[in-house]
Amino acid sequence: MATFLYKLGRLAFRRRHFVALIWVALLTLAGVGAASAPPAGNSSFSIPGTEAQKAFDLLEQRFPGASADGATARVVFKAPSGEKMTDAGNKATVEKTVDELADGSEVASVADPYTGNAVSKDGTIAYASVKYDVSGMELEESTKDVLEDAAQQARDSGLTVEIGGDALQAAPETGATEVIGIAVAAVVLVITFGSLVAAGLPLLTALIGVGIGVSSITALASALELGSTTSILAMMIGLAVGIDYALFIVSRYRAELAEGREREEAAGRAVGTAGSAVVFAGLTVVIALVGLAVVNIPMLTKMGVAAAGTVAIAVLIALTMIPALLGYAGRRVKPAGAKGKRLGRFRKDDPKPDQPAGQPKANLGTRWASFVVRRPLAVLLLGVIGLGAAAVPAASLELGLPDDGSQPTSTTQRRAYDLLSEGFGPGFNGPLMVVVDAKGSDAPKDAFDDVASEIKGLDGVVAVTPPAPNKGGDTATITVVPDFKPSSVQTEDLVHAIRDAGGDIEAKTGAETLVTGSTAMNIDVSEKLNDALVPYLVLVVGLAFLLLIVVFRSILVPLKAALGFLLSVMAALGAVVAVFQWGWLSGLMGVEETGPVMSMMPIFMVGVVFGLAMDYEVFLVTRMREAYVHGEKPNQAVVTGFKHGARVVTAAAVIMMAVFAGFIGSSESMVKMIGFGLAIAVFFDAFVVRMAIVPAVLALLGKTAWWLPKWLDRALPNVDVEGEGLRTAAERGTGPDEDRELVRT
């Protein structure tokens, strides 16, 4: 592989005009596609194989034209202090508002609070339910304007009016912190390279890659039903890996220049060595993201595949556009250690390539690695105990999906949620819909009544509406209002109790009872994700383990990499629980409402963090293996790997943390949580696991770390990530490419 990539790097360097033209054309094509594509419609959320989804599908079949997936709005009214909603003036205002709402072109129905028993017992709060023919993302702006104008006119009359539901659903905003994250990345790159030109290359290529990826997602959003969160997550991950992959190749290019090589040769060798690591690091990320498909939740699968596509683009750009841009940059990208000096010369205070560890001129990475190999057991214990302590909160993990109750208190959706809880109880915001399929029953009406009666007798039930049969009389819906908020454990227990009772009724009457609705859907999603976590871990970690065996030609190094990942991801989950569930530092993170952690957070973090963790493992440990196979002793190889790679890996980790942390400012709670979780996970994995635990373990294992059975060594393909083939060819004086023509820039 190193030889192939070497030739690719030299070709891209020579044919830089052609390479740059291709990528600019792809960016333009994707941009035009995004601009001309129809707006994204409803991002369908389905969870095949669950009872809630089965009931939802049954509703669409047995209640045609009911717009089961149509947007809804609850316009909540509260009377001024000392008044009631039943007072003549307030009642007239509400009825006028209901009439105005009913005039909307996309409105299916509007329920009057006074005829639909939608006034609280104390008479201070009432609500009007609005049902639309289309989903919230498909509502026209004029329809939303009618809704907001009607509410504002009611406010002008003296009532408190808020709007809940998904009718006012808007695409999430990432905020200014995303730009700050990119700015931090730029500063780190300038410090790392000491050159604006060299620092600008990773940023430019990452932005082009993300532009192509996100524009492609936007262009396909309507056809593939991709949600707005999909493009945000693809942008988040694409920016992080795009900058990092380019950073490693540019750094290796400068190191090759420092050894006296011509620029085209240096570009080829940088792509052949660091590029090989980029390919395998990218493969681990892609495997982890595409592996999300095993969960069998279409939305999660689409998010994973879209992000994986962006990562693949980042890899291709790093391998081709970076050497092309290096050709354009010419002498403005200087050799490592030659800042402001003539090419090929080192600064006096820089360590020479052959300088032994422990000398006064050694860099920080060398000094740290030397300390670790002298005290490996102490460093290992300190790192493991520290991550174990950070992981403790994960034992209290509670899962759920966000609803209006997790919105900021500044939003009208959240204020409507609170008013409904105040007037009708906490469970009113998460009613359960029970669907009774009596097609196989001899007495459908009796079966409906039996189910309603059975549910009324269960603990935690506040209200049960009479069964509402369809036109055929073989299916009915029953609305159940719990006594607890939607995300509570008690509501989850009630859902299971209804399902258990339905099993007994089916045995007696032949009628099947199904529970659906947003609350039941959330519960089923959480359970499905929990059940899929172990198979997903086995699949992703297993495939990546095999890939790393090929890369490192070792059994223990990939095993150590996987165990270190588990430590970092558990510590990161603990931090997420502490902030978003317990409320620690919630004000600093902009978390206005604590509650259960998003259901898909654990499995999503496992997938993404595993891929990113393997990036640092590949980039750092391949340098160590490169030194080891070239004759250095195991401990010295660890020090050499840090001498060449620690600074770059540190810069890459800081950049990735900055990019992820930039999404903490998002208005979408899911994006905010994922941004924080990934940022803290990169911190734990890069600075505790890869920078401390990994060298400590390798120092303790010694030569054993690189052991591989001879039969397996013969069976594995030689991918030559370390570039041994390039070195061997150089020693012969022939080079892997007989074309020795160099471009002198």
Side-chain angles (χ1 to χ4, degrees):
M1 174 177 285
T3 302
F4 169 75
L5 293 178
Y6 165 85
K7 294 178 180 179
L8 178 65
R10 292 190 63 187
L11 178 64
F13 189 96
R14 288 197 303 269
R15 303 287 185 260
R16 47 187 173 273
H17 302 308
F18 180 68
V19 172
L21 182 63
I22 288 177
W23 284 113
V24 171
L26 288 175
L27 179 62
T28 303
L29 183 64
V32 171
S36 59
N42 183 39
S43 177
S44 59
F45 185 82
S46 61
I47 41 175
T50 61
E51 180 174 313
Q53 185 64 45
K54 181 180 178 181
F56 186 82
D57 295 340
L58 185 66
L59 282 175
E60 290 191 325
Q61 177 186 347
R62 303 285 176 85
F63 291 83
S67 300
D69 60 346
T72 59
R74 277 178 171 173
V75 183
V76 187
F77 307 89
K78 184 176 182 179
S81 179
E83 299 181 18
K84 292 190 176 184
M85 292 305 305
T86 51
D87 293 347
N90 294 335
K91 186 175 181 180
T93 300
V94 171
E95 289 176 341
K96 180 182 178 183
T97 303
V98 169
D99 291 339
E100 292 175 354
L101 292 173
D103 291 337
S105 59
E106 297 175 305
V107 174
S109 63
V110 181
D112 189 311
Y114 301 103
T115 59
N117 193 26
V119 181
S120 63
K121 291 182 179 179
D122 61 5
T124 60
I125 297 174
Y127 69 91
S129 295
V130 186
K131 182 73 175 176
Y132 294 92
D133 293 322
V134 297
S135 67
M137 296 300 291
E138 295 172 315
L139 278 179
E140 296 180 359
E141 288 301 320
S142 59
T143 301
K144 296 180 181 181
D145 291 341
V146 169
L147 178 61
E148 292 176 322
D149 291 344
Q152 186 57 51
Q153 291 180 21
R155 291 189 189 103
D156 294 341
S157 69
L159 297 177
T160 299
V161 186
E162 305 295 347
I163 305 171
D166 61 351
L168 296 182
Q169 181 180 357
E173 299 175 356
T174 53
T177 51
E178 176 191 345
V179 179
I180 295 174
I182 297 176
V184 171
V187 172
V188 173
L189 288 169
V190 171
I191 294 173
T192 302
F193 292 136
S195 164
L196 288 174
V197 174
L201 297 184
L203 279 177
L204 177 61
T205 54
L207 290 173
I208 290 175
V210 167
I212 294 173
V214 172
S215 297
S216 300
I217 291 171
T218 304
L220 298 172
S222 178
L224 301 181
E225 296 185 341
L226 302 177
S228 55
T229 306
T230 302
S231 59
I232 291 179
L233 294 177
M235 181 191 302
M236 182 192 303
I237 296 171
L239 269 177
V241 301
I243 294 174
D244 277 7
Y245 294 166
L247 166 65
F248 282 108
I249 292 178
V250 174
S251 297
R252 187 61 183 252
Y253 171 76
R254 296 176 71 236
E256 295 293 337
L257 288 179
E259 293 184 9
R261 293 190 173 88
E262 297 290 344
R263 294 189 174 275
E264 182 181 330
E265 179 72 9
R269 288 180 175 273
V271 176
T273 51
S276 297
V278 165
V279 169
F280 282 97
L283 274 176
T284 59
V285 180
V286 169
I287 287 172
L289 290 170
V290 174
L292 291 170
V294 303
V295 184
N296 196 26
I297 294 180
M299 185 189 77
L300 194 59
T301 300
K302 292 173 185 177
M303 288 167 56
V305 171
T310 307
V311 171
I313 293 172
V315 172
L316 292 174
I317 282 186
L319 297 178
T320 57
M321 195 168 185
I322 282 294
L325 293 179
L326 289 172
Y328 284 119
R331 296 180 180 273
R332 282 167 290 190
V333 177
K334 301 183 182 301
K339 301 173 185 177
K341 299 287 184 179
R342 182 168 52 86
L343 293 181
R345 292 183 57 186
F346 290 86
R347 295 180 305 182
K348 291 182 179 180
D349 57 343
D350 277 342
K352 301 297 185 293
D354 58 348
Q355 183 177 330
Q359 293 296 320
K361 302 298 183 181
N363 61 20
L364 181 60
T366 302
R367 295 196 298 271
W368 168 249
S370 300
F371 169 77
V372 173
V373 297
R374 289 197 305 269
R375 301 284 188 275
L377 189 59
V379 172
L380 176 62
L381 290 176
L382 187 62
V384 171
I385 292 172
L387 291 178
V392 168
S396 303
L397 177 67
E398 296 179 7
L399 299 177
L401 286 179
D403 56 16
D404 284 348
S406 61
Q407 296 265 15
T409 53
S410 58
T411 63
T412 186
Q413 292 95 329
R414 171 60 188 277
R415 292 195 292 263
Y417 182 98
D418 292 340
L419 284 176
L420 289 171
S421 296
E422 176 188 341
F424 301 92
F428 191 79
N429 283 294
L432 307 175
M433 179 175 286
V434 178
V435 182
V436 185
D437 180 6
K439 200 166 187 177
S441 175
D442 295 332
K445 188 176 184 307
D446 293 340
F448 300 153
D449 294 337
D450 288 346
V451 172
S453 177
E454 187 74 23
I455 293 174
K456 286 180 182 178
L458 296 176
D459 294 334
V461 174
V462 172
V464 177
T465 63
N470 63 346
K471 291 182 179 179
D474 58 0
T475 308
T477 59
I478 302 171
T479 301
V480 181
V481 179
D483 193 22
F484 312 100
K485 63 180 183 179
S487 58
S488 66
V489 176
Q490 295 91 333
T491 300
E492 182 178 348
D493 293 339
L494 177 59
V495 169
H496 290 302
I498 294 173
R499 288 172 173 170
D500 292 340
D504 296 335
I505 294 174
E506 183 177 6
K508 290 186 288 186
T509 66
E512 184 179 12
T513 302
L514 305 170
V515 184
T516 189
S518 59
T519 302
M521 191 81 78
N522 291 351
I523 292 171
D524 286 350
V525 168
S526 299
E527 292 178 352
K528 191 176 182 70
L529 288 167
N530 284 338
D531 293 341
L533 185 58
V534 173
Y536 176 70
L537 267 174
V538 172
L539 174 67
V540 172
V541 177
L543 288 176
F545 180 78
L546 295 176
L547 186 65
L548 292 179
I549 289 178
V550 174
V551 174
F552 296 128
R553 308 194 78 78
S554 164
I555 298 293
L556 296 180
V557 171
L559 180 62
K560 172 241 350 146
L563 294 177
F565 149 74
L566 291 176
L567 273 175
S568 58
V569 79
M570 288 304 298
L573 275 177
V576 169
V577 170
V579 173
F580 290 88
Q581 187 175 310
W582 291 0
W584 294 4
L585 302 178
S586 57
L588 181 64
M589 298 297 165
V591 180
E592 296 189 20
E593 183 70 20
T594 59
V597 173
M598 184 183 60
S599 298
M600 63 181 67
M601 188 68 185
I603 200 164
F604 190 82
M605 278 190 64
V606 165
V608 177
V609 174
F610 183 78
L612 300 180
M614 294 306 103
D615 281 2
Y616 301 118
E617 181 76 14
V618 170
F619 290 131
L620 193 59
V621 180
T622 48
R623 275 289 198 167
M624 298 177 189
R625 174 166 174 77
E626 184 177 347
Y628 177 74
V629 298
H630 293 150
E632 292 189 9
K633 293 182 178 180
N635 282 7
Q636 183 58 39
V638 172
V639 176
T640 301
F642 265 77
K643 178 175 69 175
H644 292 298
R647 183 181 184 186
V648 179
V649 169
T650 299
V654 172
I655 288 169
M656 196 170 280
M657 288 168 55
V659 172
F660 287 148
F663 288 83
I664 296 176
S666 173
S667 61
E668 178 73 29
S669 59
M670 180 174 73
V671 175
K672 181 191 293 287
M673 189 179 295
I674 289 177
F676 171 80
L678 295 183
I680 197 69
V682 168
F683 172 78
F684 287 144
D685 195 86
F687 293 105
V688 182
V689 174
R690 309 303 154 190
M691 291 291 187
I693 293 178
V694 165
V697 171
L698 291 177
L700 289 171
L701 292 176
K703 290 184 178 180
T704 309
W706 307 108
W707 171 80
L708 186 70
K710 291 184 179 180
W711 64 268
L712 185 57
D713 186 43
R714 290 191 298 268
L716 291 177
N718 183 15
V719 295
D720 191 21
V721 176
E722 302 86 11
E724 179 66 17
L726 302 181
R727 182 182 293 265
T728 302
E731 290 170 353
R732 292 197 307 266
T734 60
D737 188 347
E738 293 299 329
D739 180 9
R740 308 298 295 173
E741 178 185 357
L742 302 178
V743 176
R744 317 253 180 201
T745 308

